[in-house]
Amino acid sequence: MAKMTGAQCLADMLAGYGVTHVFMVPAVLRRTFAEMERRTKIKRIHTHGEKSAAYMADGYARASGKPGVCMAQVIGALNLAAGVRDAHLAHSPVIAFTGGRDAKTKFRKVYQEVDDVPAFEAVTKFNATVDDVARFPDMVRQAFRVAVSGTPGPVHLQFRGNEGQVDAEEADIEPLVETQFARVPPFRPEPEDGSVRAALRILQDAERPVIVAGGGVRASGAGRELVTLAEKLAIPVATSLNGKDSIPGVHPLSVGVCGTYSRESANKVVGLADLVCFVGTETGGMTTHFWAVPKIGTPAIQIDIDPEALGRNYPLKASVLGDAKVVLERMLAHGDGRSAAKRKPWVEQARWICKEWYAKFKPELESDAVPIRPERMCAELTKHVPDDGIVLVDTGHAGMWMGGMYDLRTSNQSYLRSAGHLGWAFSAGLGAKCAWPERPVVVFTGDAGLWYHIGEIETAVRWKINSVTVVNNNASGNQSKRGFDRVYGGQQTEQARELWTYRMVNFAKVAEDIGALGIRVEKAADLGPAIQRALKADRPVIVDVVTDIDALAPVAVT
Ligand SMILES: Cc1ncc(C[n+]2csc(CCOP(=O)(O)OP(=O)(O)O)c2C)c(N)n1
């Protein structure tokens, strides 16, 4: 083994694992950055905040399946931890590096220093310190292994020294790389044959079954197998928000997103089902509308790679432990297509429920109203997002509008959503575009969501990260309107609006000033052409859409 510095070793290992971009606010691992320039082609994306750096790494990771790497020096570590929280909630393989305490000086009131490690505990699968340069190879390998294995998730490594100066030291080390752990999934655990057959028997016996597909289907790359099985056995498919791209929304068996930020048709179909088959979903509160859809007690079966997920929230008739793609392949191989005939009336009923939903919302989806209706924005995006587009959606109202009203048209389109943090989508979209420069990336966010990290427009311009961000600009966080009406006993006071409204700002102008392309849209008829122009611009674009402050998304039905 040759002597090398930690910086040389880390730069070589990141390149070896196929990392193309890292996202950070300096100064951390400075020597590693210098070695990246000398030894690798890795792009070092210097952002306007650690939280947005973490979101970019998260968008990069979810869009590509490869770990996204973000970094902060000691004073930015908790900002970074805050940003890693969404990756944790979404099971996204983000690797966070921070600078941290040195044994020689800790407890002496070192400038900017607190013990940051505990803050990462709640939001990571593996949270560790690298105290000796000799540990670079094994700790970095472990970071990649943990991030992508099983149910993926974030990892934190704190390097000794407030800026991780341990990277300057030398040791006899080898930059070992295990490429198997360079992306999700590193393993495809085979299910027990008996468990597959037992689950399949229950599924085939059911007259009104529904599949609820989650983000685990995307992690496994099992969309095609899911749709083929649903077609073979004639089973409607609902998805979680995180699993929305498991099946195109235009597929005849797709009933939409179920749960809280959902489509009425999905909740109705799940509610009527005599059996629910959960695939790669943690059956959390959002997906089940706090365990009301389906009701606890509804017969259920579940497929997951994590044994602890099986049966956590719904008692099961059968469970299958394994990789989603492999399990669904096995079910397809053993499945009896003849059992589909008895489900014809059920599939027709599900289709009818979907048509009923569409008829109910058609006026808003096609509305020409001024200010523009958000539903019309969703319908225009359904039409204009290219066949291989990646769509990223913020939370709150953005999650409700797009979760319920937007449809993927092809299985090559991707849909990624904030797992709860307002302000995630714009930055995550930049990360996704770094991972897929050749695919169109379209972000949907509210104005409150954009404000969080609006400074990253400059990052996009500086690095030519050409995502398109469509802003539902109602000069407010109007999702909060209902909540404030409620606490004021039915109707809030005029003054209460100060709790959720903002100044109306022209984000197109702001974008232009920073060097991006800004397009302001005030009429619904201009939306489609604006999106098309943005997609062709080959520049970072903000499409600022002036919308109705009184438009409220429909609430979940049970
Ligand atoms: C970090 C964080 N803080 C607070 C919230 C609560 N929250 C959810 S939606 C929302 C307002 C959303 O406003 P905007 O993005 O403008 O969309 P609009 O409701 O106007 O459509 C807020 C404050 C959150 N989800 N995340």
Side-chain angles (χ1 to χ4, degrees), residues 123-248:
V123 296
T124 53
K125 287 175 75 184
F126 179 51
N127 179 26
T129 59
V130 182
D131 307 306
D132 190 310
V133 69
R135 299 298 305 277
F136 272 51
D138 77 289
M139 292 300 278
V140 173
R141 277 189 293 129
Q142 189 65 6
F144 277 87
R145 185 182 352 271
V146 175
V148 299
S149 295
T151 302
V155 166
H156 170 230
L157 293 185
Q158 186 195 69
F159 289 82
R160 171 165 53 78
N162 63 337
E163 298 176 3
Q165 290 92 330
V166 63
D167 73 345
E169 296 171 18
E170 266 192 346
D172 288 320
I173 45 181
E174 195 180 347
L176 235 148
V177 168
E178 297 158 320
T179 50
Q180 180 178 5
F181 300 101
R183 59 173 309 116
V184 173
F187 298 105
R188 293 195 177 277
E190 293 270 346
E192 284 172 14
D193 195 52
S195 71
V196 174
R197 288 179 192 274
L200 192 58
R201 211 173 305 124
I202 294 167
L203 194 57
Q204 290 181 168
D205 283 351
E207 284 184 9
R208 299 189 315 280
V210 65
I211 293 171
V212 175
V217 174
R218 178 187 324 106
S220 170
R224 187 154 46 92
E225 290 72 14
L226 179 94
V227 173
T228 316
L229 183 71
E231 285 167 352
K232 179 167 182 175
L233 299 183
I235 302 176
V237 178
T239 73
S240 71
L241 265 187
N242 199 19
K244 187 170 162 83
D245 56 6
S246 320
I247 179 167

Side-chain angles (χ1 to χ4, degrees), residues 333-344:
H334 298 312
D336 181 358
R338 286 169 305 180
S339 75
K342 68 169 177 285
R343 283 182 286 275
K344 208 166 162 236

Side-chain angles (χ1 to χ4, degrees), residues 462-483:
R462 183 165 29 95
W463 277 98
K464 300 185 174 52
I465 307 171
N466 299 334
S467 63
V468 172
T469 300
V470 182
V471 187
N472 173 20
N473 184 4
N474 49 25
S476 69
N478 81 329
Q479 188 190 27
S480 299
K481 183 176 180 296
R482 274 194 196 110

Side-chain angles (χ1 to χ4, degrees), residues 251-332:
H251 190 285
L253 288 171
S254 165
V255 296
V257 173
C258 58
T260 305
Y261 293 176
S262 58
R263 183 177 289 185
E264 193 172 305
S265 51
N267 280 10
K268 280 189 173 166
V269 171
V270 172
L272 287 169
D274 64 355
L275 178 80
V276 179
C277 173
F278 294 111
V279 188
T281 163
E282 58 188 7
T283 64
M286 193 61 155
T287 302
T288 60
H289 198 39
F290 298 87
W291 310 286
V293 181
K295 289 194 173 49
I296 301 279
T298 305
I301 61 176
Q302 192 173 354
I303 299 163
D304 208 279
I305 199 165
D306 174 8
E308 293 176 19
L310 294 168
R312 181 189 283 127
N313 289 324
Y314 289 89
L316 300 173
K317 299 271 174 226
S319 55
V320 187
L321 177 65
D323 170 69
K325 188 181 173 85
V326 176
V327 173
L328 294 169
E329 272 169 2
R330 297 287 174 280
M331 286 179 131
L332 259 173

Side-chain angles (χ1 to χ4, degrees), residues 261 394-398 401 420-422 445-450 452 472 474 476-480 502:
Y261 293 176
D394 218 52
T395 192
H397 239 162
W401 290 125
H421 293 86
L422 194 65
T445 178
D447 52 309
L450 182 68
Y452 267 83
N472 173 20
N474 49 25
S476 69
N478 81 329
Q479 188 190 27
S480 299
Y502 303 110

Side-chain angles (χ1 to χ4, degrees), residues 360-382:
K360 182 168 166 185
F361 288 97
K362 193 167 181 264
E364 283 80 22
L365 289 162
E366 296 177 359
S367 169
D368 285 325
V370 177
I372 295 168
R373 292 288 309 189
E375 296 92 331
R376 176 74 191 264
M377 290 176 73
C378 299
E380 293 296 327
L381 287 167
T382 298

